[in-house]
Amino acid sequence: MKKKLLITFDYELFLGNNSGSVDKCMIEPTNKVVDILNKYAIKSIFFVDTTYLVKMNEYANSFDLAKKDFEKIKSQILNLIKQGHYIFPHIHPHWIDAKYHKELNTWSLLKLEKYRFNALSNNLKSDIFKSSIEILKEIIYPHFPNYKIDSYRAGGWSIQPFEDFKPFFIEYNIVNEFSVLPQDIKHTNALSYNFKSENKIDEIYSFEDDILNPVENGQFKEFPISSIEIDKNALKHKILNKILWKTKYGRSIGNGEGVAFKKLNNERSAFDSNYEMVSIELLTLFKIKKYINEFKKRDYFQFISHPKMLSQHNLNMFEVFLKSITQKNKIESDYKKMI
Ligand SMILES: [Zn+2]
């Protein structure tokens, strides 16, 4: 049997005081990682921050640099599809309140009130979902008229309560969902989710109303993000990360800065200490063996990564991982063939 390997990305700028540049946070690292994926014939999914595209499109009429950025992203999206990768929407509603710095051609996103889809009025929910689907259609359909936008990942994993999304999933024919990081729990002034569950939710399952409740023949499919047991606080990881960050080779290619969330309570999950999501940007020399061994043990393995966070070291380790697993296993990386 083929092992299921899903490589997914959140394709976006940094969502804090300094968004960074499109070239460094999106175009350049995406080209690098896709070169590696193509070499091993692995498909991937890019969840595009459509709320950013909508905002940028508004500014493109007045600002040349914003227009150029939009064109670059558009052409990368089309290129990705041409190469067999997938493009789907990813919504960060607080782009509504973003500020554009025209001299720097960067953005600040400091207002977090609208971070969660759940915090929006019903009208705004509907407008944002609609414009997100429409902007992807405008970009994709003239070139790929049969392309199907059937999958989604929520900004900040905040897909709960699912009833906020369900009517839009139905209206726009979204049937696949990619936001659940099983057993993690986080409540902050921005993102908020609780993925603790007794149910078996670490492989693909169907659901209907409750995203953590597998239902046979449910109309939606959940593709959960995989995690791995790693002692994150171990000295060796801290030291390696420190050393890497001091070098161009080990530092993220992306040149912006994220936002620091405030925790709203003291709830803790295993992700605070000894679990982490499976991710290219967390993959270092000290974890590579663990990743390869875990892959060997499992039938389903989903990576979640962000081009903006990738370093050359991460990319090299990811290539070591792919080289090893593609030699030893038959692999299915196309989500469409997993269901
Ligand atoms: Zn995101």
Side-chain angles (χ1 to χ4, degrees):
M1 206 183 78
K2 284 187 178 178
K3 281 178 178 287
K4 300 179 179 114
L5 172 66
L6 271 172
I7 307 293
T8 70
F9 298 93
D10 290 4
Y11 180 77
E12 61 193 16
L13 292 174
F14 284 91
L15 305 169
N17 186 36
N18 174 12
S19 66
S21 70
V22 165
D23 283 324
K24 288 287 171 191
C25 298
M26 300 169 83
I27 307 294
E28 195 184 309
T30 298
N31 283 337
K32 285 185 185 228
V33 75
V34 167
D35 280 350
I36 297 171
L37 290 166
N38 291 347
K39 190 167 157 188
Y40 296 92
I42 300 291
K43 281 184 188 281
S44 65
I45 301 176
F46 285 80
F47 290 100
V48 176
D49 184 349
T50 45
T51 31
Y52 162 54
L53 293 188
V54 170
K55 186 83 176 182
M56 190 168 41
N57 201 22
E58 281 167 28
Y59 281 65
N61 294 325
S62 320
F63 301 99
D64 251 14
L65 291 175
K67 189 176 182 170
K68 271 192 191 141
D69 280 349
F70 191 81
E71 292 303 320
K72 282 182 198 169
I73 290 175
K74 205 167 135 178
S75 109
Q76 186 159 57
I77 285 175
L78 293 172
N79 240 322
L80 287 167
I81 296 178
K82 207 162 101 190
Q83 295 171 80
H85 302 282
Y86 294 108
I87 298 292
F88 297 125
H90 176 62
I91 294 182
H92 278 290
H94 66 309
W95 267 103
I96 289 177
D97 295 323
K99 261 188 134 162
Y100 182 58
H101 307 291
K102 61 178 182 204
E103 302 80 18
L104 300 168
N105 188 33
T106 58
W107 305 79
S108 297
L109 291 91
L110 291 176
K111 286 186 78 175
L112 297 178
E113 290 84 356
K114 298 195 181 80
Y115 190 99
R116 284 176 70 195
F117 197 67
N118 183 248
L120 311 176
S121 70
N122 285 342
N123 280 342
L124 204 46
K125 280 188 189 121
S126 161
D127 288 351
I128 283 192
F129 214 97
K130 184 173 185 226
S131 59
S132 285
I133 301 289
E134 276 177 356
I135 198 143
L136 286 187
K137 286 184 177 172
E138 273 168 35
I139 293 172
I140 298 170
Y141 280 15
H143 303 268
F144 303 96
N146 299 320
Y147 186 84
K148 275 201 175 54
I149 299 169
D150 64 8
S151 304
Y152 182 76
R153 173 176 288 146
W157 298 272
S158 302
I159 189 69
Q160 292 161 314
F162 183 65
E163 64 185 55
D164 287 343
F165 293 93
K166 189 174 175 183
F168 305 114
F169 273 43
I170 292 170
E171 185 173 349
Y172 298 103
N173 301 311
I174 307 278
V175 288
N176 305 307
E177 209 299 308
F178 289 74
S179 311
V180 173
L181 179 60
Q183 311 312 333
D184 195 14
I185 175 166
K186 233 173 227 102
H187 293 296
T188 73
N189 57 334
L191 53 83
S192 185
Y193 57 82
N194 183 346
F195 297 136
K196 285 208 175 197
S197 174
E198 308 269 292
N199 299 324
K200 174 147 181 54
I201 55 167
D202 56 355
E203 287 186 32
I204 301 165
Y205 57 90
S206 304
F207 70 98
E208 191 60 46
D209 293 305
D210 176 356
I211 200 144
L212 300 182
N213 189 20
V215 176
E216 219 181 313
N217 302 322
Q219 65 176 315
F220 309 110
K221 287 266 181 321
E222 178 62 37
F223 293 73
I225 297 158
S226 300
S227 57
I228 205 162
E229 196 175 359
I230 295 266
D231 179 6
K232 288 201 275 202
N233 298 317
L235 200 57
K236 61 171 189 177
H237 294 307
K238 288 191 167 169
I239 291 173
L240 179 62
N241 287 341
K242 232 182 187 161
I243 294 171
L244 283 171
W245 196 253
K246 287 195 173 143
T247 66
K248 197 181 171 207
Y249 166 73
R251 207 179 313 131
S252 308
I253 298 163
N255 57 356
E257 95 203 34
V259 64
F261 302 131
K262 284 187 214 92
K263 271 197 158 191
L264 294 183
N265 58 33
N266 287 325
E267 273 169 326
R268 289 180 68 79
S269 81
F271 285 79
D272 291 308
S273 50
N274 54 345
Y275 273 86
E276 66 184 26
M277 61 190 192
V278 167
S279 176
I280 305 171
E281 68 234 27
L282 299 174
L283 183 52
T284 62
L285 181 64
F286 289 165
K287 297 177 190 168
I288 184 77
K289 246 193 178 153
K290 176 89 182 171
Y291 268 63
I292 293 170
N293 283 335
E294 284 298 317
F295 185 82
K296 222 185 278 175
K297 285 191 230 161
R298 306 187 199 182
D299 297 323
Y300 171 86
F301 209 61
Q302 178 178 175
F303 276 76
I304 176 174
S305 312
H306 301 73
K308 65 184 177 186
M309 311 279 278
L310 301 177
S311 70
Q312 191 57 50
H313 177 68
N314 300 142
L315 291 164
N316 290 359
M317 291 303 107
F318 183 52
E319 178 153 11
V320 171
F321 172 80
L322 285 186
K323 193 172 179 185
S324 162
I325 62 156
T326 49
Q327 273 169 4
K328 294 174 195 143
N329 305 278
K330 278 201 162 42
I331 288 169
E332 182 56 73
S333 61
D334 187 344
Y335 79 101
K336 287 189 176 175
K337 295 183 181 153
M338 295 182 190
I339 38 183

